[in-house]
């Protein structure tokens, strides 16, 4: 869906390129996370996709069409854009904020009203209660929900998200990450997501692009990056706890074994990730838990040994 080839950008008075011959492809319906140290070029890259910054060289194609051949204003109306500061118009109601792009596209009012209701419901808000409220009346998490709803209003195939959860407290941030990842994947949007947080990148991305000094260092699914960092820089960047990060990507169902689950008092759902299962084991001082399916039926057990293997650690012999 998004194809970037030889993309470069150098700013005046800077000796080094902000983005240096970047090439990568984002398949349709996937979430590509751009991450790296400050000044690595991740935000510059994202802003070149919707031509808020013009590239010096290279091409960016969305669904086969070079964005440089598209009027910038028309292009931006076809791309959803969510930022950390949200950027809601303070004197407009929530409904009016969400309706911004549909009105620019000339939608009629009944269609706009229906779309506003759909999106408020989609992001977990109540249209009858929230449509006529103003941004100042909302919490930070609620404002971020409206920012996402506004970006989705015209049903764009591509979404750009620039550290959208960076200003939220950790508990709200984790909840919204899960909620919006579920929404966006269900809608099959192609997403470029910028963050400086490796845990967020692993959680949100189907592919992660690690940048350094404007160049691409490694581009792969998160589990591949955690299992086989391309070099010492990537290994240091993802952290010494990458075995635990790998466990967060693996559901208990993937490590379940046949065993007598009836003797086990600790029960976890098959969808729970192995990092959380491990935490539960350590807290309860057990070396195995029973696993249930979505209907609550026990389907087997997960052992500490199995978790060690999934994390890439040697199993103990005792």
């Amino acid at each position: 869906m998004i194809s970037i080839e030889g993309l470069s950008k150098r700013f005046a008075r800077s000796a080094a390129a902000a983005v240096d011959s970047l090439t990568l492809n984002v398949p349709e319906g996937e979430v590509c996370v751009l991450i790296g140290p400050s000044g690595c070029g991740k935000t510059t890259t994202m802003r070149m996709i919707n031509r808020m910054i013009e590239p010096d060289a290279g091409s960016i194609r969305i669904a086969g069409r070079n964005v440089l051949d598209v009027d910038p204003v028309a292009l931006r109306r076809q791309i959803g854009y969510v930022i950390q500061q949200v950027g809601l118009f303070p004197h407009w109601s929530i409904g009016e904020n969400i309706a911004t792009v549909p009105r620019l596209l000339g939608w009629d009012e009944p269609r706009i009203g229906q779309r506003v209701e759909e999106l408020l419901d989609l992001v977990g808000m109540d249209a009858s209660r929230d449509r006529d409220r103003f941004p100042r009346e909302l919490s930070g998490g609620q404002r971020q929900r409206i920012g996402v709803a506004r970006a989705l209003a015209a049903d764009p195939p591509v979404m750009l998200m620039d550290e959208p959860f960076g200003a939220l407290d950790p508990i709200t941030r984790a909840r919204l990450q899960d909620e919006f990842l579920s929404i966006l994947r269900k809608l099959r949007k192609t997403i470029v997501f910028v963050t400086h947080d490796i845990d967020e990148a692993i959680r949100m991305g189907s592919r992660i692009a690690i940048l350094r000094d404007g160049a691409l260092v490694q581009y792969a699914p998160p589990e591949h990056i955690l299992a086989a960092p391309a070099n010492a820089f990537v290994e240091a960047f993802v952290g010494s706890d990458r075995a635990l990060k790998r466990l967060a990507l693996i559901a208990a169902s993937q490590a379940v074994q046949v065993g007598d689950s009836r003797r086990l008092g600790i029960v976890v759902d098959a969808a729970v990730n192995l990092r959380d299962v491990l935490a539960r084991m350590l807290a309860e001082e057990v070396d195995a838990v029973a696993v249930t399916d979505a209907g609550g039926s026990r389907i087997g057990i997960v052992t500490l040994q199995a978790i060690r293997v999934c994390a890439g650690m040697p199993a103990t012999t005792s």
Side-chain angles (χ1 to χ4, degrees), residues 182-306:
S182 175
I183 289 169
L184 295 170
R185 284 185 170 163
K186 180 173 66 177
L187 296 176
R188 293 288 297 167
K189 301 298 179 185
T190 304
I191 303 161
V192 177
F193 189 108
V194 165
T195 183
H196 67 278
D197 183 337
I198 186 62
D199 290 319
E200 182 168 69
I202 292 166
R203 190 173 196 160
M204 299 295 290
S206 46
R207 295 173 183 243
I208 299 175
I210 298 181
L211 305 178
R212 184 185 191 188
D213 298 330
L216 184 65
V217 181
Q218 187 169 4
Y219 183 48
E223 58 270 24
H224 292 181
I225 288 176
L226 293 172
N231 55 29
F233 169 78
V234 176
E235 186 172 1
F237 190 79
V238 299
S240 59
D241 62 340
R242 70 176 190 274
L244 289 176
K245 290 183 171 76
R246 289 177 66 188
L247 292 179
L249 299 172
I250 304 171
S253 60
Q254 295 175 256
V256 72
Q257 301 172 345
V258 175
D260 184 8
S261 64
R262 292 172 297 177
R263 64 181 177 84
L264 300 173
I266 308 302
V267 180
V268 300
D269 188 271
V272 173
N273 71 66
L274 288 183
R275 185 166 65 179
D276 290 344
V277 174
L278 177 60
R280 183 82 184 276
M281 284 183 175
L282 295 175
E284 302 286 348
E285 298 183 346
V286 299
D287 61 5
V289 297
V291 181
T292 59
D293 61 19
S297 299
R298 297 196 180 201
I299 58 175
I301 66 173
V302 167
T303 66
L304 184 58
Q305 295 279 40

Side-chain angles (χ1 to χ4, degrees), residues 114-156:
Q114 181 179 0
R115 184 61 173 161
V116 168
E117 288 193 14
E118 290 173 356
L119 289 169
L120 284 170
D121 180 65
L122 183 68
V123 300
M125 298 189 72
D126 186 328
S128 62
R129 180 194 65 204
D130 298 319
R131 185 209 305 256
D132 296 324
R133 298 170 74 190
F134 290 86
R136 64 180 178 274
E137 301 175 65
L138 306 181
S139 68
Q142 289 174 323
R143 287 194 295 272
Q144 199 58 265
R145 291 171 188 272
I146 300 306
V148 172
R150 183 176 63 181
L152 289 168
D155 197 21

